[in-house]
Amino acid sequence: MPKLPPHVARAAQVVPTPRQLAWQELEFYSFIHFGINTYTDREWGDGKEDPSLFNPTQLDCRQWAKVCKAAGMRGLILTAKHHDGFCLWPTATTKHSVESSPWKDGKGDVVRECADACAAVGIKFGLYLSPWDQNASCYGQGKAYDDFYEIQLRELLTNYGDLFCMWFDGACGEGPNGKKQVYDWERYYAVIRELQPEAAICVTGPDVRWVGNEAGVCRPSEWSVVPAFLSKAEVIAAASQQADGKPPVIDDSSWTTWDLGSRKALAKAKDWPPIWYPAEVDVSIRKGWFYHEHEDLTVKPLAKLRDIYYKSVGANASLLLNIPPSPQGLFHERDVDTLISLGAQLKVDFRENLIEGSTMTASCQLDDAHGPQNIVLPGRDSYWHSGELDGKAELLLDLGDDLDINKIVLKEHIATGQQIEAFELYIDMNTEETGKPKWKLLEKGTVIGYKRIILFNETRVRRFKIVITECRGFATLESIEAY
């Protein structure tokens, strides 16, 4: 085995935590921006809104959860509190909440209804709690606000069942007293680990990173192992939007660079240890994040959402799709129709995995327990392992018959790390059962990671060849699927 440079050897040893693996397997889930902004027709409030404005006359969280599940999503994240400080649950910390609204005579709890709906429908539930609070008088007073915020966290983390994530952005502006708060992130994280140890802490946190844009796309190489400085709260905050309507200013040395985790990028950041910090793609189904009636005609069409899915879930990231409920408390019919169509389309796209009965061979393997046939078996516990690899590894997939294929799905066994640095995918253009193969290159890529979906024009084919051309000492593949 060739001796790896120290920074590459370190990266090869980095593996995800169980909570990061569980988060990655969700793949696709929703963001629900709902609150006082829904009634003021704004994206960001200022904390001065009258709670009496909040009155969803037809609130139906079960509709939200059902539509999300029909779209193929496996989870839902609710904005329990946005920057305006209005809380969607009755909290002991402030009267700036549903308790002061006419909805259900002040006895309602949107967080409870949403948590119950997700449990009933069978999808995971997560929460967003903005640290920036433009209503709290103690904001900007250091420990006093941290105490206030911790109470809110504890209420949400203990009263609403299991959460799959807590989602934070890095926005930090002035409070009603004209002061900014220095957030005690480590304190917040400790509370989450204490009360919800299985919950991933997303975006401003140690478990999941923001992809760096809100356009719904990944980098050409979206590495899961990246330098640790990308998880520093101050770096994330600097890249966060600081004012309504003003896009974030992002230094090219961090979030917007095309290369975060290659050998070159890791060497450049050699003073920072590599960490497992996978990407989440967040995008809204509309132009805005909260509901605005004038955007009813700007709902992204099915073709666009499908493209976003392939460019996020299919490129080693997760997809967080925002759907804003209307002031009545319902998803608009245009959003519903599009989301149901998306779910139906994805079912068609991945209706039948044509791998069943196929044969997988490889030029190398670690041992008999990690042979190539594992790749076509169900489950993540069986996988192919190349063993120590000095040079290329080749794997041959024989479907057993000529079949019409237009997509291949590859997955590394990421529980043992992200090892593959470059690969090539070929199809055999020789339709004769015997004779020398005529290999045609379909894809030349870098990252596979949790999932790589490779699309191509529908072709009648029997044999595929995967060539691992570069890796970090060894390579793994957990599965291959053909559709």
Side-chain angles (χ1 to χ4, degrees):
M1 178 176 174
K3 182 175 176 59
L4 296 172
H7 62 281
V8 179
R10 284 197 303 175
Q13 296 171 14
V14 177
V15 297
T17 64
R19 78 173 63 88
Q20 287 173 316
L21 277 174
W23 163 85
Q24 188 90 62
E25 290 171 352
L26 290 178
E27 298 186 0
F28 182 25
Y29 42 95
S30 67
F31 216 170
I32 307 297
H33 275 66
F34 186 60
I36 203 72
N37 294 336
T38 309
Y39 299 87
T40 60
D41 202 27
R42 298 178 67 180
E43 283 290 289
W44 284 12
D46 57 16
K48 300 175 183 177
E49 296 83 5
D50 184 345
S52 67
L53 294 172
F54 185 84
N55 192 21
T57 55
Q58 301 177 56
L59 182 73
D60 188 354
C61 294
R62 187 75 68 95
Q63 183 226 25
W64 305 353
K66 285 181 176 178
V67 171
C68 289
K69 186 172 184 178
M73 303 184 200
R74 296 169 178 161
L76 179 156
I77 300 173
L78 174 68
T79 55
K81 182 187 78 170
H82 205 252
H83 310 325
D84 48 72
F86 182 81
C87 298
L88 293 184
W89 78 103
T91 171
T93 61
T94 179
K95 293 298 182 182
H96 196 60
S97 74
V98 289
E99 189 176 6
S100 300
S101 77
W103 178 60
K104 294 194 172 182
D105 296 324
K107 296 179 175 60
D109 185 341
V110 180
V111 179
R112 165 58 56 208
E113 294 198 19
C114 199
D116 290 348
C118 289
V121 170
I123 62 175
K124 301 291 186 179
F125 183 52
L127 289 168
Y128 164 105
L129 183 69
S130 174
W132 184 14
D133 192 318
Q134 297 185 80
N135 179 267
S137 60
C138 60
Y139 186 88
Q141 295 178 3
K143 184 177 180 298
Y145 180 73
D146 288 329
D147 292 344
F148 170 95
Y149 191 73
E150 180 177 329
I151 293 171
Q152 292 189 340
L153 269 178
R154 286 185 176 274
E155 289 174 346
L156 294 173
L157 294 167
T158 56
N159 295 330
Y160 299 98
D162 293 336
L163 303 178
F164 83 89
C165 86
M166 281 299 301
W167 204 101
F168 301 115
D169 58 28
C172 180
E174 294 182 354
N177 52 17
K179 296 181 180 180
K180 286 191 176 184
Q181 174 76 15
V182 178
Y183 305 131
D184 190 347
W185 288 111
E186 293 305 319
R187 178 178 174 180
Y188 308 160
Y189 300 160
V191 173
I192 297 168
R193 294 292 192 240
E194 172 197 346
L195 299 175
Q196 294 275 353
E198 303 307 313
I201 305 174
C202 296
V203 181
T204 300
D207 295 322
V208 176
R209 67 179 164 86
W210 180 47
V211 76
N213 67 78
E214 294 177 351
V217 295
C218 290
R219 295 166 179 81
S221 301
E222 197 62 74
W223 299 95
S224 295
V225 179
V226 298
F229 79 86
L230 287 172
S231 69
K232 289 176 66 65
E234 56 267 35
V235 173
I236 300 166
S240 297
Q241 193 168 347
Q242 302 300 320
D244 185 15
K246 294 182 180 179
V249 178
I250 305 172
D251 190 308
D252 281 347
S253 65
S254 57
W255 295 102
T256 56
T257 180
W258 284 115
D259 182 9
L260 295 181
S262 71
R263 293 191 180 200
K264 182 179 179 181
L266 293 172
K268 187 177 178 181
K270 63 177 183 283
D271 293 335
W272 292 92
I275 59 171
W276 193 274
Y277 203 35
E280 176 186 80
V281 173
D282 62 324
V283 64
S284 184
I285 196 171
R286 293 165 171 246
K287 289 183 177 180
W289 292 82
F290 285 91
Y291 178 86
H292 308 287
E293 185 177 1
H294 68 269
E295 292 181 354
D296 286 349
L297 298 180
T298 69
V299 176
K300 289 180 174 62
L302 169 61
K304 179 63 175 177
L305 292 179
R306 182 174 180 237
D307 182 63
I308 288 172
Y309 178 90
Y310 279 109
K311 289 179 178 177
S312 53
V313 175
N316 193 40
S318 70
L319 174 56
L320 175 59
L321 178 64
N322 181 67
I323 310 114
S326 71
Q328 290 73 37
L330 300 169
F331 287 167
H332 190 275
E333 60 183 16
R334 289 182 181 273
D335 304 62
V336 171
D337 290 346
T338 303
L339 290 165
I340 290 176
S341 296
L342 174 63
Q345 183 64 60
L346 292 176
K347 283 183 178 179
V348 170
D349 288 355
F350 300 100
R351 178 178 57 233
E352 182 182 7
N353 181 7
L354 299 173
I355 290 297
E356 185 177 348
S358 61
T359 302
M360 200 86 191
T361 56
S363 61
C364 56
Q365 63 187 59
L366 175 65
D367 51 37
D368 290 344
H370 295 89
Q373 195 63 22
N374 286 343
I375 300 173
V376 297
L377 298 178
R380 77 180 189 194
D381 294 328
S382 62
Y383 60 97
W384 167 75
H385 190 303
S386 69
E388 292 186 357
L389 193 58
D390 185 3
K392 298 180 179 180
E394 292 192 2
L395 300 104
L396 182 65
L397 171 67
D398 190 331
L399 297 172
D401 201 356
D402 293 325
L403 300 172
D404 293 324
I405 307 287
N406 69 359
K407 62 182 77 68
I408 289 287
V409 181
L410 300 175
K411 296 179 70 173
E412 276 188 77
H413 184 67
I414 62 171
T416 54
Q418 186 176 25
Q419 310 298 345
I420 295 174
E421 297 176 305
F423 73 96
E424 296 169 353
L425 176 67
Y426 296 85
I427 57 171
D428 182 5
M429 299 302 293
N430 188 347
T431 58
E432 302 294 331
E433 289 195 23
T434 59
K436 188 175 180 180
K438 295 168 59 177
W439 294 114
K440 176 184 177 181
L441 180 65
L442 272 182
E443 178 87 356
K444 187 174 184 179
T446 53
V447 169
I448 293 178
Y450 170 74
K451 179 175 285 189
R452 167 69 67 177
I453 303 176
I454 301 164
L455 301 172
F456 48 94
N457 292 331
E458 187 171 290
T459 305
R460 180 161 286 264
V461 62
R462 173 172 174 167
R463 284 175 288 270
F464 290 87
K465 181 171 68 171
I466 305 161
V467 183
I468 311 300
T469 55
E470 294 180 51
C471 67
R472 295 173 177 174
F474 67 91
T476 67
L477 280 179
E478 184 176 294
S479 72
I480 180 171
E481 300 169 6
Y483 299 94

